Amino acid sequence: MSKTIVALDFSSKEEVVNFLNQFDEPIYVKIGMELTYACGLDIVKTVKEMGHHIFLDLKLHDIPNTVKGGMKNLANLGVDIVNCHAGGGIAMMKAAVEGLEIGANGGKRPLCIAVTQLTSTSKEAMNNELGIPGDVMDCVVKYALNAKEAGMDGVVCSVLEAAAIKKACGPDFLTVTPGIRLATDSKDDQKRVATPDYAKEQGCDLIVVGRSITKSANPKETYDLIENMMK
Ligand code: C5P
């Protein structure tokens, strides 16, 4: 199984199909809000029919009952991973898992992971705008422990926090890490970034890579380079 999840942050089915046509083997992709809001959830079917594994990154964050209902309806799309925001609290995360179990109706439910702090959030923004004091690390580890208590399968965090989360939540608790950049890349809007080699060193299970691959001159070559760094 590949360790690199490619973020399909495109706005049309045509761009997605052209991009995926470069790959002969199934890869892991992430479908987020840009693509879903452009194409609807039909895009999940298109990508699945091409044989790829899917992390559906819709980051649910609402009252528990609404998240439960939303997850119930996502459970049968055949995706591998879905997510919600840990900031919604333990009751909301429990409701997310419950919704998936109801929707899966005794079958295999998608894994459910919690977004801790976005990798575009700095300590300053977390303290001064979100009103959360202290270090990002402490907040992220606390959110990961909440997610574990709620019965979630893992978290989305930055590479910088992955090892501490494994220590606090155990080796089987998944860490999925965006904010990945090659040493030569621009950081764009991301703040807590790291290279694929460092992600491997820190024990991250899966890395999420968007622009470093999708905007590179040769996406397939860059994908292979990054995937080899994670092996
Ligand atoms: O282009 P880039 O590699 O920065 O894309 C990262 C992807 O990961 C985006 O699709 C973004 O929505 C997602 N993501 C993130 N930070 C999180 C959760 C998801 O960057 N904490």
Side-chain angles (χ1 to χ4, degrees), residues 173-224:
F173 196 67
L174 276 181
T175 52
V176 178
T177 57
I180 300 294
R181 291 293 183 270
L182 293 168
T184 49
D185 285 339
S186 146
K187 277 170 77 173
D188 305 303
D189 55 343
Q190 298 282 20
K191 296 285 188 297
R192 305 195 325 277
V193 299
T195 60
D197 313 60
Y198 194 59
K200 185 183 177 199
E201 205 180 300
Q202 293 300 302
C204 303
D205 296 294
L206 295 161
I207 57 171
V208 174
V209 190
R211 287 160 288 187
S212 290
I213 291 176
T214 55
K215 303 251 185 270
S216 94
N218 190 332
K220 169 75 168 78
E221 222 172 82
T222 309
Y223 171 85
D224 288 341

Short mmCIF file of all heavy atoms in Angstrom, two decimals, residues 173-224:
data_model
loop_
_atom_site.label_atom_id
_atom_site.label_comp_id
_atom_site.label_asym_id
_atom_site.label_seq_id
_atom_site.Cartn_x
_atom_site.Cartn_y
_atom_site.Cartn_z
N PHE A 173 -2.42 4.03 16.49
CA PHE A 173 -3.26 5.21 16.25
C PHE A 173 -2.67 5.97 15.06
O PHE A 173 -1.52 6.42 15.09
CB PHE A 173 -3.26 6.06 17.52
CG PHE A 173 -4.34 7.10 17.58
CD1 PHE A 173 -5.68 6.72 17.68
CD2 PHE A 173 -4.03 8.45 17.54
CE1 PHE A 173 -6.68 7.69 17.75
CE2 PHE A 173 -5.03 9.41 17.61
CZ PHE A 173 -6.35 9.03 17.71
N LEU A 174 -3.46 6.05 13.97
CA LEU A 174 -2.95 6.57 12.70
C LEU A 174 -2.56 8.04 12.76
O LEU A 174 -3.30 8.86 13.30
CB LEU A 174 -4.04 6.46 11.63
CG LEU A 174 -4.24 5.16 10.88
CD1 LEU A 174 -5.39 5.36 9.87
CD2 LEU A 174 -2.97 4.76 10.16
N THR A 175 -1.42 8.37 12.14
CA THR A 175 -1.06 9.79 11.96
C THR A 175 -0.95 10.06 10.46
O THR A 175 -0.17 9.44 9.76
CB THR A 175 0.28 10.14 12.64
OG1 THR A 175 1.26 9.21 12.21
CG2 THR A 175 0.18 10.09 14.15
N VAL A 176 -1.80 10.95 10.00
CA VAL A 176 -1.84 11.33 8.58
C VAL A 176 -1.38 12.78 8.53
O VAL A 176 -1.96 13.64 9.19
CB VAL A 176 -3.27 11.17 8.02
CG1 VAL A 176 -3.33 11.61 6.56
CG2 VAL A 176 -3.74 9.72 8.16
N THR A 177 -0.31 13.03 7.76
CA THR A 177 0.34 14.35 7.87
C THR A 177 0.42 15.12 6.56
O THR A 177 1.17 14.76 5.66
CB THR A 177 1.77 14.19 8.45
OG1 THR A 177 2.51 13.29 7.61
CG2 THR A 177 1.73 13.63 9.85
N PRO A 178 -0.36 16.22 6.46
CA PRO A 178 -0.16 17.16 5.35
C PRO A 178 0.96 18.15 5.72
O PRO A 178 1.68 17.93 6.70
CB PRO A 178 -1.51 17.88 5.25
CG PRO A 178 -2.34 17.40 6.39
CD PRO A 178 -1.46 16.61 7.31
N GLY A 179 1.09 19.21 4.93
CA GLY A 179 2.17 20.17 5.18
C GLY A 179 3.51 19.59 4.74
O GLY A 179 4.54 19.85 5.35
N ILE A 180 3.47 18.77 3.70
CA ILE A 180 4.70 18.13 3.21
C ILE A 180 5.28 18.96 2.06
O ILE A 180 4.57 19.33 1.13
CB ILE A 180 4.41 16.70 2.70
CG1 ILE A 180 3.82 15.82 3.82
CG2 ILE A 180 5.67 16.06 2.09
CD1 ILE A 180 4.73 15.52 4.99
N ARG A 181 6.57 19.25 2.16
CA ARG A 181 7.25 19.99 1.10
C ARG A 181 8.63 19.39 0.86
O ARG A 181 9.30 18.99 1.83
CB ARG A 181 7.43 21.47 1.48
CG ARG A 181 6.12 22.28 1.54
CD ARG A 181 5.50 22.44 0.16
NE ARG A 181 4.31 23.26 0.15
CZ ARG A 181 3.06 22.80 0.32
NH1 ARG A 181 2.85 21.52 0.55
NH2 ARG A 181 2.03 23.62 0.24
N LEU A 182 9.04 19.34 -0.41
CA LEU A 182 10.43 18.99 -0.71
C LEU A 182 11.27 20.20 -0.29
O LEU A 182 10.76 21.32 -0.23
CB LEU A 182 10.59 18.69 -2.21
CG LEU A 182 9.85 17.41 -2.66
CD1 LEU A 182 9.80 17.33 -4.18
CD2 LEU A 182 10.52 16.17 -2.07
N ALA A 183 12.56 19.95 -0.02
CA ALA A 183 13.41 21.03 0.51
C ALA A 183 13.42 22.26 -0.41
O ALA A 183 13.56 23.39 0.05
CB ALA A 183 14.82 20.49 0.71
N THR A 184 13.23 22.03 -1.71
CA THR A 184 13.32 23.13 -2.69
C THR A 184 11.98 23.84 -2.93
O THR A 184 11.92 24.83 -3.66
CB THR A 184 13.81 22.57 -4.03
OG1 THR A 184 13.02 21.42 -4.35
CG2 THR A 184 15.27 22.19 -3.99
N ASP A 185 10.88 23.31 -2.34
CA ASP A 185 9.54 23.85 -2.63
C ASP A 185 9.21 25.11 -1.84
O ASP A 185 9.75 25.33 -0.76
CB ASP A 185 8.46 22.81 -2.24
CG ASP A 185 8.39 21.67 -3.23
OD1 ASP A 185 8.85 21.85 -4.37
OD2 ASP A 185 7.87 20.61 -2.85
N SER A 186 8.21 25.85 -2.36
CA SER A 186 7.65 26.97 -1.60
C SER A 186 6.71 26.41 -0.54
O SER A 186 6.06 25.38 -0.76
CB SER A 186 6.89 27.87 -2.58
OG SER A 186 5.77 28.44 -1.96
N LYS A 187 6.59 27.13 0.60
CA LYS A 187 5.68 26.67 1.66
C LYS A 187 4.22 27.03 1.35
O LYS A 187 3.29 26.52 1.96
CB LYS A 187 6.05 27.33 3.00
CG LYS A 187 7.18 26.60 3.72
CD LYS A 187 7.73 27.35 4.89
CE LYS A 187 7.13 27.46 6.17
NZ LYS A 187 7.76 28.06 7.28
N ASP A 188 4.00 27.94 0.42
CA ASP A 188 2.66 28.47 0.12
C ASP A 188 2.01 28.95 1.42
O ASP A 188 2.65 29.62 2.20
CB ASP A 188 1.79 27.40 -0.59
CG ASP A 188 2.47 26.85 -1.84
OD1 ASP A 188 2.80 27.65 -2.73
OD2 ASP A 188 2.69 25.63 -1.92
N ASP A 189 0.74 28.54 1.66
CA ASP A 189 0.03 28.99 2.86
C ASP A 189 0.31 28.11 4.07
O ASP A 189 -0.21 28.37 5.17
CB ASP A 189 -1.49 29.05 2.59
CG ASP A 189 -2.05 27.73 2.09
OD1 ASP A 189 -1.25 26.86 1.64
OD2 ASP A 189 -3.27 27.55 2.13
N GLN A 190 1.10 27.04 3.92
CA GLN A 190 1.35 26.12 5.03
C GLN A 190 2.37 26.71 6.01
O GLN A 190 3.27 27.45 5.61
CB GLN A 190 1.88 24.78 4.50
CG GLN A 190 0.91 24.04 3.59
CD GLN A 190 -0.19 23.32 4.37
OE1 GLN A 190 -0.46 23.64 5.53
NE2 GLN A 190 -0.84 22.36 3.73
N LYS A 191 2.24 26.38 7.30
CA LYS A 191 3.19 26.89 8.30
C LYS A 191 4.01 25.76 8.92
O LYS A 191 5.21 25.87 9.05
CB LYS A 191 2.42 27.63 9.43
CG LYS A 191 1.67 28.87 8.96
CD LYS A 191 2.62 30.05 8.70
CE LYS A 191 1.91 31.36 8.42
NZ LYS A 191 1.08 31.37 7.21
N ARG A 192 3.34 24.65 9.34
CA ARG A 192 4.06 23.58 10.04
C ARG A 192 4.42 22.51 9.01
O ARG A 192 3.73 21.51 8.87
CB ARG A 192 3.21 23.04 11.20
CG ARG A 192 2.80 24.17 12.13
CD ARG A 192 2.27 23.77 13.50
NE ARG A 192 1.49 22.57 13.59
CZ ARG A 192 0.17 22.51 13.33
NH1 ARG A 192 -0.47 23.57 12.91
NH2 ARG A 192 -0.46 21.37 13.49
N VAL A 193 5.51 22.75 8.26
CA VAL A 193 5.86 21.86 7.14
C VAL A 193 7.07 20.98 7.45
O VAL A 193 7.84 21.27 8.37
CB VAL A 193 6.16 22.68 5.85
CG1 VAL A 193 4.96 23.48 5.40
CG2 VAL A 193 7.36 23.59 6.04
N ALA A 194 7.22 19.92 6.67
CA ALA A 194 8.39 19.04 6.79
C ALA A 194 8.57 18.28 5.48
O ALA A 194 7.65 18.21 4.67
CB ALA A 194 8.19 18.05 7.94
N THR A 195 9.75 17.70 5.30
CA THR A 195 10.04 16.92 4.09
C THR A 195 9.53 15.48 4.27
O THR A 195 9.33 15.02 5.40
CB THR A 195 11.57 16.85 3.84
OG1 THR A 195 12.17 16.22 4.98
CG2 THR A 195 12.16 18.23 3.62
N PRO A 196 9.37 14.75 3.15
CA PRO A 196 8.96 13.34 3.26
C PRO A 196 9.94 12.50 4.08
O PRO A 196 9.52 11.64 4.87
CB PRO A 196 8.92 12.86 1.81
CG PRO A 196 8.74 14.10 0.99
CD PRO A 196 9.42 15.19 1.74
N ASP A 197 11.24 12.74 3.94
CA ASP A 197 12.23 11.96 4.70
C ASP A 197 12.00 12.12 6.20
O ASP A 197 12.06 11.17 6.97
CB ASP A 197 13.68 12.45 4.48
CG ASP A 197 14.02 12.66 3.05
OD1 ASP A 197 13.36 13.49 2.41
OD2 ASP A 197 14.95 11.99 2.57
N TYR A 198 11.73 13.38 6.60
CA TYR A 198 11.53 13.65 8.02
C TYR A 198 10.23 13.00 8.50
O TYR A 198 10.15 12.50 9.62
CB TYR A 198 11.55 15.16 8.28
CG TYR A 198 11.67 15.50 9.74
CD1 TYR A 198 12.76 15.06 10.49
CD2 TYR A 198 10.69 16.24 10.39
CE1 TYR A 198 12.87 15.35 11.84
CE2 TYR A 198 10.79 16.54 11.75
CZ TYR A 198 11.87 16.08 12.47
OH TYR A 198 11.97 16.36 13.81
N ALA A 199 9.21 12.99 7.60
CA ALA A 199 7.93 12.34 7.95
C ALA A 199 8.18 10.86 8.24
O ALA A 199 7.63 10.29 9.19
CB ALA A 199 6.94 12.50 6.80
N LYS A 200 9.01 10.24 7.43
CA LYS A 200 9.32 8.82 7.64
C LYS A 200 10.05 8.63 8.98
O LYS A 200 9.68 7.77 9.79
CB LYS A 200 10.16 8.28 6.50
CG LYS A 200 10.36 6.82 6.67
CD LYS A 200 11.21 6.16 5.68
CE LYS A 200 11.33 4.71 6.11
NZ LYS A 200 12.45 4.06 5.52
N GLU A 201 11.03 9.47 9.18
CA GLU A 201 11.82 9.40 10.42
C GLU A 201 10.93 9.56 11.67
O GLU A 201 11.16 8.92 12.69
CB GLU A 201 12.81 10.56 10.37
CG GLU A 201 14.07 10.39 11.16
CD GLU A 201 14.93 11.64 11.00
OE1 GLU A 201 15.31 11.96 9.85
OE2 GLU A 201 15.18 12.31 12.02
N GLN A 202 9.91 10.38 11.56
CA GLN A 202 9.02 10.65 12.71
C GLN A 202 7.92 9.59 12.87
O GLN A 202 7.09 9.69 13.76
CB GLN A 202 8.38 12.04 12.56
CG GLN A 202 9.38 13.18 12.67
CD GLN A 202 10.09 13.18 14.01
OE1 GLN A 202 9.48 13.25 15.05
NE2 GLN A 202 11.42 13.07 13.97
N GLY A 203 7.88 8.62 11.96
CA GLY A 203 6.92 7.51 12.10
C GLY A 203 5.52 7.82 11.59
O GLY A 203 4.56 7.15 11.98
N CYS A 204 5.38 8.83 10.70
CA CYS A 204 4.05 9.14 10.15
C CYS A 204 3.57 7.95 9.31
O CYS A 204 4.34 7.36 8.56
CB CYS A 204 4.11 10.36 9.24
SG CYS A 204 4.78 11.80 10.07
N ASP A 205 2.29 7.61 9.43
CA ASP A 205 1.77 6.47 8.67
C ASP A 205 1.55 6.83 7.21
O ASP A 205 1.88 6.06 6.31
CB ASP A 205 0.45 5.99 9.29
CG ASP A 205 0.65 5.47 10.70
OD1 ASP A 205 1.34 4.44 10.83
OD2 ASP A 205 0.18 6.09 11.66
N LEU A 206 0.91 7.98 6.98
CA LEU A 206 0.58 8.41 5.62
C LEU A 206 0.88 9.90 5.51
O LEU A 206 0.61 10.65 6.45
CB LEU A 206 -0.91 8.17 5.34
CG LEU A 206 -1.40 6.72 5.31
CD1 LEU A 206 -2.92 6.67 5.49
CD2 LEU A 206 -1.01 6.06 3.99
N ILE A 207 1.42 10.31 4.36
CA ILE A 207 1.61 11.75 4.15
C ILE A 207 0.62 12.22 3.09
O ILE A 207 0.26 11.46 2.18
CB ILE A 207 3.06 12.11 3.75
CG1 ILE A 207 3.50 11.37 2.48
CG2 ILE A 207 4.02 11.83 4.89
CD1 ILE A 207 4.83 11.84 1.91
N VAL A 208 0.18 13.47 3.23
CA VAL A 208 -0.72 14.06 2.23
C VAL A 208 0.08 15.10 1.46
O VAL A 208 0.64 16.02 2.06
CB VAL A 208 -1.92 14.76 2.91
CG1 VAL A 208 -2.77 15.49 1.87
CG2 VAL A 208 -2.77 13.75 3.67
N VAL A 209 0.15 14.94 0.15
CA VAL A 209 0.92 15.88 -0.66
C VAL A 209 0.04 16.42 -1.78
O VAL A 209 -0.51 15.64 -2.56
CB VAL A 209 2.17 15.21 -1.28
CG1 VAL A 209 3.07 16.28 -1.91
CG2 VAL A 209 2.95 14.42 -0.25
N GLY A 210 -0.09 17.73 -1.83
CA GLY A 210 -0.87 18.35 -2.89
C GLY A 210 0.04 19.01 -3.91
O GLY A 210 0.58 18.36 -4.81
N ARG A 211 0.22 20.33 -3.72
CA ARG A 211 0.90 21.13 -4.75
C ARG A 211 2.29 20.67 -5.12
O ARG A 211 2.70 20.83 -6.27
CB ARG A 211 0.89 22.61 -4.32
CG ARG A 211 -0.48 23.23 -4.46
CD ARG A 211 -0.65 24.48 -3.63
NE ARG A 211 -0.74 24.19 -2.20
CZ ARG A 211 -1.02 25.09 -1.27
NH1 ARG A 211 -1.23 26.35 -1.62
NH2 ARG A 211 -1.09 24.74 0.00
N SER A 212 3.05 20.07 -4.18
CA SER A 212 4.41 19.61 -4.53
C SER A 212 4.35 18.60 -5.67
O SER A 212 5.29 18.50 -6.47
CB SER A 212 5.11 18.97 -3.33
OG SER A 212 5.41 19.95 -2.39
N ILE A 213 3.26 17.85 -5.74
CA ILE A 213 3.11 16.88 -6.84
C ILE A 213 2.28 17.47 -7.98
O ILE A 213 2.71 17.48 -9.13
CB ILE A 213 2.45 15.57 -6.33
CG1 ILE A 213 3.42 14.82 -5.40
CG2 ILE A 213 2.04 14.67 -7.50
CD1 ILE A 213 2.87 13.56 -4.76
N THR A 214 1.09 17.98 -7.66
CA THR A 214 0.16 18.40 -8.74
C THR A 214 0.69 19.58 -9.55
O THR A 214 0.39 19.71 -10.72
CB THR A 214 -1.23 18.75 -8.16
OG1 THR A 214 -1.07 19.75 -7.15
CG2 THR A 214 -1.91 17.53 -7.56
N LYS A 215 1.50 20.43 -8.92
CA LYS A 215 2.02 21.60 -9.65
C LYS A 215 3.45 21.38 -10.15
O LYS A 215 4.08 22.32 -10.67
CB LYS A 215 1.99 22.86 -8.76
CG LYS A 215 0.63 23.22 -8.21
CD LYS A 215 0.08 24.48 -8.88
CE LYS A 215 -1.24 24.94 -8.29
NZ LYS A 215 -2.43 24.40 -8.89
N SER A 216 3.99 20.18 -9.99
CA SER A 216 5.36 19.96 -10.43
C SER A 216 5.39 19.74 -11.94
O SER A 216 4.39 19.39 -12.55
CB SER A 216 6.00 18.78 -9.69
OG SER A 216 5.86 17.60 -10.43
N ALA A 217 6.55 19.94 -12.54
CA ALA A 217 6.67 19.83 -14.00
C ALA A 217 6.39 18.39 -14.44
O ALA A 217 5.83 18.16 -15.51
CB ALA A 217 8.07 20.25 -14.43
N ASN A 218 6.77 17.42 -13.61
CA ASN A 218 6.49 16.01 -13.92
C ASN A 218 5.88 15.33 -12.68
O ASN A 218 6.59 14.74 -11.86
CB ASN A 218 7.78 15.30 -14.35
CG ASN A 218 7.48 13.92 -14.90
OD1 ASN A 218 6.48 13.28 -14.51
ND2 ASN A 218 8.32 13.44 -15.80
N PRO A 219 4.56 15.42 -12.55
CA PRO A 219 3.90 14.91 -11.33
C PRO A 219 4.20 13.44 -11.02
O PRO A 219 4.45 13.10 -9.86
CB PRO A 219 2.41 15.11 -11.63
CG PRO A 219 2.36 16.22 -12.61
CD PRO A 219 3.59 16.07 -13.45
N LYS A 220 4.23 12.59 -12.04
CA LYS A 220 4.46 11.16 -11.79
C LYS A 220 5.86 10.94 -11.22
O LYS A 220 6.05 10.18 -10.26
CB LYS A 220 4.26 10.38 -13.11
CG LYS A 220 4.71 8.94 -13.09
CD LYS A 220 3.74 8.04 -12.31
CE LYS A 220 4.00 6.58 -12.52
NZ LYS A 220 5.11 6.03 -11.78
N GLU A 221 6.85 11.65 -11.81
CA GLU A 221 8.23 11.53 -11.35
C GLU A 221 8.35 12.03 -9.89
O GLU A 221 8.99 11.40 -9.06
CB GLU A 221 9.10 12.41 -12.25
CG GLU A 221 10.41 11.77 -12.64
CD GLU A 221 11.10 12.64 -13.68
OE1 GLU A 221 11.76 13.63 -13.30
OE2 GLU A 221 10.93 12.32 -14.87
N THR A 222 7.69 13.15 -9.59
CA THR A 222 7.76 13.69 -8.23
C THR A 222 7.05 12.76 -7.25
O THR A 222 7.53 12.53 -6.14
CB THR A 222 7.13 15.11 -8.19
OG1 THR A 222 7.71 15.88 -9.21
CG2 THR A 222 7.35 15.77 -6.85
N TYR A 223 5.93 12.18 -7.68
CA TYR A 223 5.22 11.21 -6.83
C TYR A 223 6.15 10.04 -6.50
O TYR A 223 6.28 9.65 -5.33
CB TYR A 223 3.95 10.70 -7.54
CG TYR A 223 3.29 9.55 -6.81
CD1 TYR A 223 2.39 9.78 -5.77
CD2 TYR A 223 3.60 8.22 -7.13
CE1 TYR A 223 1.81 8.73 -5.08
CE2 TYR A 223 3.03 7.16 -6.44
CZ TYR A 223 2.14 7.41 -5.42
OH TYR A 223 1.58 6.38 -4.72
N ASP A 224 6.81 9.48 -7.53
CA ASP A 224 7.70 8.32 -7.31
C ASP A 224 8.84 8.69 -6.37
O ASP A 224 9.19 7.91 -5.48
CB ASP A 224 8.27 7.83 -8.65
CG ASP A 224 7.21 7.13 -9.49
OD1 ASP A 224 6.18 6.70 -8.93
OD2 ASP A 224 7.40 7.02 -10.72
#
